[in-house]
């Protein structure tokens, strides 16, 4: 008696046969489709991600529903891989690596949660970093806000409690308002 799982998904053997039958034209179309997903965000080429997707399918890590066409399934697997790689890279950042890269602030995404001219933001960030040079909590918060992390992740990375995080953000904003009375737009504190 066939299980419900084998009725709904291809077995690894069936998937292997279907993938072996991909024509050169279908392969080219898939690669072009994967290029639209911007695979370079994951530090890979479309071809590399296509191969990785096949490995995941043939290893049984990804189940292929029988109701989904090959092109759509591979594209979805690649999309998921890109998302996982990008997310794991962001999660791998720590306070130590953020502080090591302090000289390279210009390469950070300064517009992640800020709304202003990049040159103005860059000058403001440098001024704030100088002002809080001795305060590791605040420098950690600044660097991780610039990398687009939300408050919950920043507290984890910077090893801050809710109270110490709120106190540091309050101090940071208060001093930033004094330093820039005409204003830069402050980042929003999203949980």
């Amino acid at each position: 008696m066939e299980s419900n799982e084998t009725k709904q998904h291809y077995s690894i053997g069936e998937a292997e046969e279907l993938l072996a039958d991909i024509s050169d034209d279908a392969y080219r179309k898939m690669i072009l489709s994967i290029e639209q997903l911007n695979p370079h965000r994951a530090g890979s080429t479309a071809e590399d991600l296509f191969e990785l997707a096949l490995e995941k399918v043939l290893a049984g890590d990804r189940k292929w529903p029988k109701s989904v066409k090959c092109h759509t399934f591979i594209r979805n697997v690649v999309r998921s891989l890109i998302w996982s790689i990008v997310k794991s890279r962001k999660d791998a950042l720590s306070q130590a690596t953020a502080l090591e890269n302090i000289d390279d602030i210009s390469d950070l995404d300064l517009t992640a949660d800020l709304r202003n001219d990049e040159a103005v933001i860059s000058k403001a960030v440098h001024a704030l970093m100088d002002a809080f040079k001795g305060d590791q909590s605040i420098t950690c918060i600044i660097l991780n806000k610039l990398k687009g992390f939300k408050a919950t992740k920043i507290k984890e990375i910077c090893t801050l409690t809710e109270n110490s995080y709120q106190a540091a953000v309050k101090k940071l904003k208060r001093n930033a308002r004094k330093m820039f009375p005409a204003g830069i737009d402050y980042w929003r504190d999203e949980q």
Side-chain angles (χ1 to χ4, degrees):
M1 181 144 181
E2 253 187 316
S3 74
N4 198 25
E5 177 72 19
T6 56
K7 287 181 185 176
Q8 293 178 356
H9 295 89
Y10 291 114
S11 68
I12 292 174
E14 291 171 321
E16 190 172 9
E17 285 178 29
L18 290 167
L19 294 172
D21 289 340
I22 295 174
S23 69
D24 289 344
D25 188 45
Y27 172 79
R28 280 191 296 279
K29 286 179 183 175
M30 271 192 234
I31 295 301
L32 288 173
S33 179
I34 292 169
E35 281 291 341
Q36 293 173 347
L37 297 174
N38 195 3
H40 309 290
R41 290 179 300 145
S44 298
T45 64
E47 293 82 1
D48 290 342
L49 287 170
F50 174 79
E51 292 299 323
L52 184 58
L54 295 186
E55 287 174 23
K56 295 285 186 188
V57 172
L58 297 177
D61 296 338
R62 304 291 170 123
K63 301 275 187 219
W64 186 350
K66 290 182 177 178
S67 61
V68 178
K69 293 181 180 178
C70 180
H71 180 94
T72 304
F73 175 67
I74 296 297
R75 183 178 163 88
N76 288 341
V77 171
V78 169
R79 178 182 289 127
S80 175
L81 289 170
I82 291 170
W83 184 86
S84 295
I85 292 167
V86 169
K87 184 175 183 330
S88 68
R89 282 185 179 170
K90 274 190 168 184
D91 290 348
L93 293 174
S94 66
Q95 180 177 0
T97 54
L99 292 174
E100 285 172 15
N101 296 327
I102 198 166
D103 294 333
D104 202 12
I105 289 177
S106 60
D107 285 350
L108 297 176
D109 179 8
L110 298 175
T111 58
D113 277 340
L114 299 169
R115 302 172 304 271
N116 255 349
D117 178 310
E118 191 170 315
V120 172
I121 294 168
S122 181
K123 285 179 187 172
V125 168
H126 282 285
L128 286 170
M129 293 302 287
D130 287 342
F132 292 105
K133 207 173 263 184
D135 191 328
Q136 288 204 336
S137 295
I138 292 181
T139 55
C140 183
I141 290 169
I142 293 170
L143 290 171
N144 287 291
K145 274 287 189 185
L146 294 173
K147 291 178 194 265
F149 291 131
K150 296 192 185 297
T152 51
K153 187 68 181 170
I154 293 171
K155 285 183 268 187
E156 181 184 322
I157 291 170
C158 300
T159 59
L160 297 170
T161 64
E162 178 65 29
N163 288 342
S164 60
Y165 174 79
Q166 291 300 333
V169 168
K170 189 182 235 183
K171 181 179 176 183
L172 171 60
K173 287 182 178 181
R174 185 176 54 245
N175 284 289
R177 285 185 190 106
K178 286 178 188 172
M179 292 171 67
F180 306 102
I184 58 167
D185 287 326
Y186 303 108
W187 43 75
R188 297 173 304 282
D189 192 27
E190 299 171 18
Q191 297 291 326

